[in-house]
Amino acid sequence: MRCLVTGVAGFIGSHLARRLLDEGHEVVGIDCFTNYYAREVKERNLRDIVSHPRFRLAEADLASADLSPLLDGVRVVFHQAAQPGVTGSWGAQFHDYVRNNIVATQRILEAVKERPLDKFVYASSSSVYGDVRRYPTPETALPRPRSPYGVTKLAAEHLCQLYHRNYGVPVIALRYFTVYGPGQRPDMAFHRFVAGILAGQELVVYGDGEQTRDFTYVSDVVTANLLAMASPLTGVSLNIGGGTTTSVNRVLRLLESLCGRKALVRHQPTRPGEVERTLADISRAKRQLGYRPSVRPEDGLAQLRGSDAIYLG
Ligand code: NAD
């Protein structure tokens, strides 16, 4: 099967492409290497697949390129490309979020709407819930994003469901809850923590560290995408979480013991857009997709310690 992975050079997109190739699929990957973080990190994400005979990389911007030629023969689209990051989405940078999250999604939906697609999987986010204070959070909760990033991810999710209802695009939106693993974006907390501990540098923890997150190991997220591809389900949004809740302080303790060193922690006030707690109700994904997260935080974090997983530059 020929699949298209947008954002293929990113953290999740590169893991997904690797798994699709391992399972015998053909992958067309699109990425425009935004400068949100270093290009060399993204090139490293693709290092072991870039010359695979069933992989083709198109360096193209979803918000402006002619997407039609890239869709020839494609049966499944995994739309992972986005401008990520909650706290950077305020102010002048909002423009990048509108462009890479909303405009890019609308353009790829337009490009696929008349094509015979088997599935369109959209990478949504727990950030759509924001101020919903119901735990575990079910998909039926009315989203109330707390950041401009969350607003753009929700807007794009609405666009996907709109194209499903009007043009029959076979959409499934997966709302990922904080994803971690080797190749995690350098701006994300676990990555910063491991890099800081290994380098003996001070780490910044926003808030008192007692905020909790539902963390999802990247291989579980990739599996959820493959389950969505195989499922007859369309027109739904499903939570994809790790099934446990862990505080930032507990993560730090686990990482200290894995790295064999103490973390030097400096606390700073919580930043606008961040939430105190996330916890996914994943019963629907379990029931409807057969999704079962299988990696515990202590096992997943151990994979992050390897020097190849961390960008120290
Ligand atoms: P990432 O930044 O590592 O990957 C995104 C990739 O998309 C980047 O390589 C970037 O260059 C590319 N991209 C952005 N705009 C583009 C455009 N206009 N055209 C072509 N390529 C473009 O991010 P990630 O952490 O791998 O996240 C992947 C997806 O998962 C995103 O949609 C994100 O919103 C979603 N998500 C991630 C998390 C998480 O914890 N990492 C949680 C919830 C949702």
Side-chain angles (χ1 to χ4, degrees):
M1 180 109 70
R2 185 176 293 176
C3 306
L4 180 95
V5 178
T6 73
V8 73
F11 164 42
I12 300 170
S14 56
H15 279 276
L16 175 58
R18 197 171 300 112
R19 176 84 71 85
L20 289 166
L21 292 167
D22 286 347
E23 301 219 342
H25 299 288
E26 214 179 302
V27 176
V28 179
I30 301 183
D31 207 298
C32 68
F33 296 82
T34 60
N35 63 3
Y36 183 71
Y37 60 91
R39 183 181 176 111
E40 65 181 291
V41 178
K42 297 182 186 184
E43 284 175 348
R44 203 168 65 175
N45 290 340
L46 292 177
R47 192 175 46 190
D48 57 335
I49 58 169
V50 77
S51 45
H52 192 291
R54 278 182 278 106
F55 180 71
R56 179 155 71 94
L57 175 66
E59 186 162 348
D61 184 342
L62 293 168
S64 58
D66 176 7
L67 302 176
S68 216
L70 299 171
L71 284 159
D72 280 346
V74 166
R75 303 298 311 188
V76 181
V77 173
F78 296 96
H79 180 35
Q80 309 290 315
Q83 183 75 16
V86 165
T87 51
S89 62
W90 303 95
Q93 289 170 119
F94 183 60
H95 173 78
D96 296 337
Y97 289 78
V98 171
R99 188 173 194 283
N100 294 327
N101 299 354
I102 303 178
V103 176
T105 302
Q106 186 268 350
R107 288 194 84 249
I108 186 138
L109 287 164
E110 276 294 317
V112 301
K113 74 179 189 205
E114 313 283 6
R115 288 177 177 265
L117 219 54
D118 293 338
K119 195 62 43 100
F120 184 104
V121 187
Y122 168 65
S124 187
S125 168
S126 59
S127 299
V128 304
Y129 292 119
D131 277 330
V132 173
R133 298 211 167 91
R134 215 173 126 192
Y135 306 106
T137 311
E139 293 86 348
T140 49
L142 185 69
R144 291 183 63 201
R146 197 179 161 84
S147 64
Y149 164 74
V151 168
T152 60
K153 291 300 289 182
L154 180 60
E157 190 185 310
H158 279 303
L159 281 168
C160 290
Q161 302 300 1
L162 199 63
Y163 277 75
H164 167 68
R165 292 195 297 276
N166 286 273
Y167 293 98
V169 178
V171 163
I172 292 189
L174 301 179
R175 293 176 175 168
Y176 307 159
F177 282 66
T178 313
V179 188
Y180 73 103
Q184 192 192 35
R185 297 195 326 261
D187 61 304
M188 293 188 74
F190 294 2
H191 193 127
R192 290 193 295 107
F193 291 170
V194 178
I197 294 173
L198 291 177
Q201 284 167 355
E202 198 174 64
L203 312 174
V204 174
V205 171
Y206 296 97
D208 62 5
E210 284 308 304
Q211 64 270 41
T212 57
R213 289 284 178 280
D214 188 332
F215 296 115
T216 320
Y217 193 66
V218 65
S219 64
D220 286 329
V221 169
V222 167
T223 301
N225 274 272
L226 270 78
L227 289 168
M229 166 167 80
S231 162
L233 220 60
T234 56
V236 293
S237 299
L238 298 170
N239 289 340
I240 300 300
T244 56
T245 181
T246 315
S247 73
V248 169
N249 287 336
R250 173 156 184 267
V251 167
L252 277 171
R253 285 193 296 273
L254 282 168
L255 289 176
E256 284 178 332
S257 95
L258 285 166
C259 297
R261 292 192 195 183
K262 289 292 286 175
L264 309 168
V265 175
R266 181 162 52 93
H267 290 275
Q268 282 195 358
T270 309
R271 296 170 299 177
E274 288 182 339
V275 295
E276 212 24 57
R277 186 174 175 197
T278 63
L279 179 59
D281 178 345
I282 54 171
S283 53
R284 194 182 272 194
K286 279 185 173 168
R287 208 172 48 246
Q288 299 190 339
L289 283 187
Y291 169 71
R292 299 270 181 290
S294 63
V295 182
R296 298 176 312 156
E298 40 277 56
D299 299 328
L301 287 173
Q303 301 300 318
L304 260 182
R305 190 194 33 176
S307 59
D308 215 34
I310 295 299
Y311 178 64
L312 295 167

